[in-house]
Amino acid sequence: MDYAVTPAQAEFGRAFEDFCQRTIAPRAAQVDRDGELSRANWDDLAGMGWFGLYVDKAWGGTAEDVDWVMRALAEESLAKACAATFLSAGASVGLCGAPIQLFGSEALKARWLPGLASGATIGCFGLTEPDAGTDAASLRTRAERVDGGWRLHGEKALITNAPIADVCVVMAVTDPDAGHAGVTAFAVDLAGEGIARTAAYRKLGLRGSPTGGLVFDGAFVPDDAVVGTVGAGFLQAMQTLELGRISMSHFGIGIAEAAFDAASRYAVERKAFGKPIATRQAVHFKLADMKIEIDAARLMARKAAWAKASGQPAAEYASIAKLYATEMAVRCADRAVQVFGGWGYTDDFPVERLLRDARLGPIGEGTSEIQRELIARHLLDV
Ligand SMILES: Cc1cc2nc3c(=O)[nH]c(=O)nc-3n(C[C@H](O)[C@H](O)[C@H](O)COP(=O)(O)OP(=O)(O)OC[C@H]3O[C@@H](n4cnc5c(N)ncnc54)[C@H](O)[C@@H]3O)c2cc1C
């Protein structure tokens, strides 16, 4: 494994970091207060070609021109600048776009990928239900066979972008007796009849990323909306989440970097007992621990990306990176709040938002508990 970043990767990463710090980061506090997706961020990301990084050229993207390291650098920069925007952008072109691109028919790709690649279409990924999150095999949303297609009945909950999305990759049970093989993925046009959206939830953090539910009351979906083949949905969801977990490790690294930068700057400026607090060993140790943990998380994330790029099994590395980086981000944001003292507890400074935003990491796309289970199962081969 080669840890060196090539000049082309470094230049690409710098350009994205500059863009994110110049354009996205200055809006992050207001986006959090507004509590809704920033269309300005979305449009500017589209202008930078962000969404296209994940989509093949045939469908309007630039995926062949970039590699895993470049996408990792871009994701870290965006998460550092505004984690809420990162989450919504990733759900659209990643969680929704990836299964369509990886498993969908040519017609399905032609229908949805150009819009997802340009940012004109907003996507979401519907796996979680009110009574089925970690236990994704106990889905209750049903798709029943009808002439020319399927009718969906059921409810999805806690779905990123559900309040505003145009399309959702919905996991539904097509054969209740077939277990995992009875789940099918459908790319559902959310403008169709029989589909209602719940109000957006009010959340601890990531308030600029709308999260909501979708209710399907006999919504008709044509046969050509099936992603790949009937019965392949559960496996597709797991493969999509493997990619999502690598992205979530970048989410953690980005937030932790933002916390580290803010705490380092503040420590130099803030004086107590006649000296900058940056002269105190207790502050040194916090900053040093943050730096060590960020570097460790980045190496784990790069290992997962390297496994993907070289066609090796990556599920275990993705779980390790996701678990460590997201828990690390909570620790780093918490340390940053401590370095800021009382001011860290106010929204005059960004660190309280970083702590709130970071807290999703150990929950979303497979909780820390389930990552530990998955890692242990790989180790024990059970
Ligand atoms: C902001 C946000 C955005 C989200 N976006 C999406 C999205 O776009 N699409 C989507 O499908 N979902 C999304 N989710 C849902 C998210 O993936 C789930 O919340 C998560 O998988 C946990 O499921 P749950 O909430 O039902 O918790 P539960 O599964 O009920 O878990 C509750 C607790 O029990 C623990 N637990 C459960 N089973 C086990 C076990 N076997 N062993 C040990 N511990 C266990 C869990 O780790 C957790 O601590 C989002 C959630 C949030 C908060």
Side-chain angles (χ1 to χ4, degrees), residues 82-121:
C82 180
T85 301
F86 170 88
L87 193 75
S88 277
S92 185
V93 77
L95 293 180
C96 177
I100 294 174
Q101 175 155 283
L102 288 172
F103 314 112
S105 66
E106 297 300 288
L108 204 61
K109 292 180 196 178
R111 166 117 198 248
W112 294 114
L113 290 181
L116 291 168
S118 70
T121 299

Side-chain angles (χ1 to χ4, degrees), residues 95 125-128 132-135 158-160 203 211 360 363-367 369-370 373:
L95 293 180
F125 176 75
L127 177 63
T128 305
T134 306
D135 185 8
L158 290 168
I159 309 301
T160 299
K203 306 197 299 294
T211 319
L360 171 73
I363 299 171
E365 305 200 25
T367 61
E369 288 80 3
I370 217 63
E373 275 289 322

